[in-house]
Amino acid sequence: MTSTANLTRDETAARAAGIQLQTVDVEIDLRGARAADATTFPTSSTLVFGASVEATWIDFLGASVDEVIVNGAPQPVEWDGARVRVRGLAAHNVVTVRGTGRYSTSGEGLHRFSDPVDDAVYLYTQYEPADSRRVYPVFEQPDLKARWRFVVIAPDGWQVLSNGAEAAREPVEGGVRVAFAETLPLSSYITAVAAGPYHRVEGVWHGPAGPVPLGVLCRASLAPHLVDSGDADEILGITQRGLDFFSDAFGLVYPWGKYDQIFVPEYNLGAMENPGLVTFTERYVFRGAATVAQHEGRANTILHEMAHMWFGDLATMRWWDDLWLKESFADFSGAHAAVVAGGFPDAWVTFASRRKGWAYVQDQLPTTHPIVADIPDLEAAKLNFDGITYAKGASVLKQLVAFVGEDAFFRGARRYFADHAYGNTTLDDLLTALETESGRDLRAWSEAWLQTTGMSQISVEREGHGALTVVQTDPRPHRLAVGLYAFEGDRLMQRGSVDVDIAAERTPVPALSGESSVDLVLPNDGDRTYAKVRLDARSTDAAARGLSMIDDALARAVIWAALWDATRDGELPVARYLEIVAQHAPREGNAALLADALAHAQFAIGHYAAAAERDRLAADWLETAWTALWAAPAGSDAQLAWARAVGAAASRSDWRAAELTAILSGEAEAPSGLALDPELRWDWLAALSATGHVDLAAADAELARDGSSQGRTAYRAVLAARPDAAVRADAWHAAWDDESLTNDHLDATIAGVRAGGRRDLVEEFDADYFARIRPAWSARSIEIARRLVIGLFPASDTLDPVDAWLDANADAPGALRRLVIEQRDGLARDLRVRAAQPSL
């Protein structure tokens, strides 16, 4: 048998037609996990199911399959490394598969992490979209749900967790055997296990059906940052308010029993919605100063995952082409709940700037896809966790809520859950529920927004005599507001707003009294629709003069986004964009908008500035950031944002290397109120390393200050960033060849290779990149291969090598070609926009 790890939609649909899964009993033995050389663990599953077929397969990606028992009779092991064949099935079946699983260091399956601070070992699982088969034998597809019973054998003294509440615990040789309560019906990808000496903070939610235990957990060495900062209390408060809100909004009280939230190391995602055991990246445990935007982002993620307890966990898509049924709704619900229940009233401002910005970039790639996508197999599913599925979907849902009304939308959601609880659904099921409660026909809306690709670009032409015309490319229906702003002194004040329904390419707006005195005309004021906004020349001039003086943060978000899109398209010169950021970012009061503007400025220099101007612009931008850092209020979010911007800018210019070195060494004072926490110190040190101002002794000294896992990862990046050809070559080869690198260590190594944009140090490896990517795709896990393909793509000055690879590899896996095509498109944009820059 040949390996068949990449499951397809058609074959899993055929399997589901012949299988009726009932229960799965899993037992895994983790007693050996603490051994320094631990790589494997015993695992077994007993699956109880009805069948109308004589044979099928069970999925397992592990070290070995040792025994297969079908209805009490052992069978010869038929296993190709991915599928276990089982034969002789009856109408009712009990199948046990015993084997050996492998611990992961890539964040896929059962990840094993050893904390360098105290040598404690921590384990956790991450399965989406199809990695539970790396931990136990399963039917790995979302439409074969089961009731699960977990038994985990672990060392004494460990926290041991799964989806259900702990039901029994008994001592066994070398550890403890923990059994968990049977779950309600779940898909395999949202089952979960975690084990280790995690620190736990307890809480409770007093819901309408009785108290629900809450837990917030992290590594013991991080506990002071979680507890002493008050963050654990903040997280519990958001959780309690969120459970109140969603239980009411969706008409069904949280059904999964306990609600544990665990922050785990070396995590590939932001979070994962395993019912009863939600996993989060421990980047949300702040080791130092954090802005309001960072706290808001954490709250949004908490609420996003909580929405999944209904959208995704309770009612689950049948296959991954309806992935949006959970992710778009969770993205929308996270922002909505952050405003109404989370305590962050500006969450829609952040959404407009950050999440929609992600969607706009994704939707302009040649690989864009409808929100309801065609997903033929698991490799395609893995890559579809993108800006279309999440943020574009959430954006059009926001429009839908406005279209049908908020009350009708949530009534429709309640009907949807009542009809499909613990089942699997498709788009039609949701539309039917919403149509029933709203009385509106949503099929045309679905065709226009869910089943199309691309987006409109909306602008306004001034026709004279007070008349305006709204112009859109790629016409589709929009309901939006056109805001009219004029200067009163130095402030841009809104003079009025016009609601417009548009569907055609050109839509006249009735004459407006006093329009000729309007300085800025803002399409999509209030960010109601999903479209790229282009300002006319007069409005751009007005924004350049008065952007930061506009009171409405949402209006500023739309303007900031419009200016950035014009820069990305080569219509607004990079130098002018940087001037606008330099003038208005120091006065931007919204922390998320400020952080995004600073990141875009840095990106513009590295990608879009003409080569002849890049060094000068980089030095000027560093001076802008340095000046703003010292001028920012002590201890403010702005001060922290500018300190981080200084670090990013200093990786391309060493103009302030002496001052940064002196501050880090304690020979000079930092700006008053600025906390030189470990993250900021490492950021600055990495920048200094990229420009040749850090040696091994300085890096070692910093590691002695911060020997945490985060410090060791940063140390790796600092060493790899040194601007020496031999150093970069070593890092390059380590990224491809050292399979002992964890996912985080690989990221750090790649960051070092790319540090400072020093193409001269790595361009000799361009051909090596194209020789390696296809073998890497075949040999490495998709998560690791994806990082290599994206992270080490050559930022050359020609498209010829990538075009040659694409021509020669037409038969490469579709998911790999998609990544390469996307990287090619980014490079093509870089080259196109650089060529459009005016000569200075």
Side-chain angles (χ1 to χ4, degrees), residues 490-709:
D490 288 330
R491 302 189 72 84
L492 268 173
M493 306 295 290
Q494 190 183 65
R495 290 280 185 83
S497 179
V498 183
D499 289 333
V500 184
D501 288 301
I502 65 173
E505 183 176 344
R506 300 178 64 85
T507 304
V509 178
L512 302 168
S513 174
E515 188 280 329
S516 59
S517 66
V518 170
D519 295 296
L520 185 149
V521 179
L522 182 58
N524 200 25
D525 198 6
D527 193 46
R528 295 184 191 175
T529 197
Y530 175 83
K532 185 163 64 172
V533 168
R534 186 70 87 237
L535 301 177
D536 65 273
R538 182 176 170 186
S539 296
T540 299
D541 290 342
R545 175 185 164 193
L547 170 55
S548 57
M549 295 295 103
I550 296 175
D551 291 332
D552 182 8
L554 199 51
R556 297 199 307 276
V558 175
I559 296 169
W560 276 118
L563 295 171
W564 175 236
D565 284 330
T567 305
R568 289 187 75 245
D569 291 342
E571 296 184 18
L572 183 67
V574 169
R576 191 176 189 207
Y577 178 75
L578 293 172
E579 290 172 358
I580 294 171
V581 177
Q583 179 178 348
H584 294 289
R587 292 181 285 181
E588 175 54 66
N590 182 280
L593 295 182
L594 172 59
D596 289 349
L598 301 185
H600 290 157
Q602 184 69 20
F603 191 91
I605 293 167
H607 289 260
Y608 303 144
E613 296 296 322
R614 191 171 297 128
D615 288 347
R616 180 187 63 81
L617 291 173
D620 289 348
W621 174 243
L622 176 56
E623 283 306 291
T624 295
W626 183 259
T627 301
L629 166 62
W630 287 89
S636 64
D637 282 359
Q639 184 188 58
L640 182 56
W642 284 108
R644 292 168 177 168
V646 163
S651 69
R652 288 189 173 271
S653 172
D654 66 355
W655 189 247
R656 292 291 179 180
E659 291 91 335
L660 289 171
T661 301
I663 292 173
L664 288 174
S665 68
E667 297 172 10
E669 291 293 326
S672 176
L674 180 66
L676 288 177
D677 57 49
E679 271 75 11
L680 184 58
R681 291 185 62 88
W682 282 116
D683 283 351
W684 283 9
L685 202 70
L688 290 168
S689 180
T691 57
H693 295 277
V694 170
D695 58 17
L696 181 59
D700 287 345
E702 195 63 35
L703 183 61
R705 293 176 60 100
D706 177 24
S708 66
S709 61

Side-chain angles (χ1 to χ4, degrees), residues 32 188 419 442 702 740 758 824:
S188 59
D419 291 344
L442 299 181
E702 195 63 35
S740 70
R758 290 293 302 273
R824 182 205 183 276

Side-chain angles (χ1 to χ4, degrees), residues 144-155:
L144 284 178
K145 288 188 169 184
R147 294 177 180 269
W148 298 73
R149 294 183 290 259
F150 282 90
V151 171
V152 179
I153 306 172

Side-chain angles (χ1 to χ4, degrees), residues 716 729-739 741 746 749 780 788:
R716 184 180 294 270
D730 287 345
W732 174 272
H733 290 294
W736 293 103
D737 300 331
D738 185 354
E739 296 191 14
L741 293 177
L746 176 61
T749 304
R780 310 294 293 274
L788 291 166

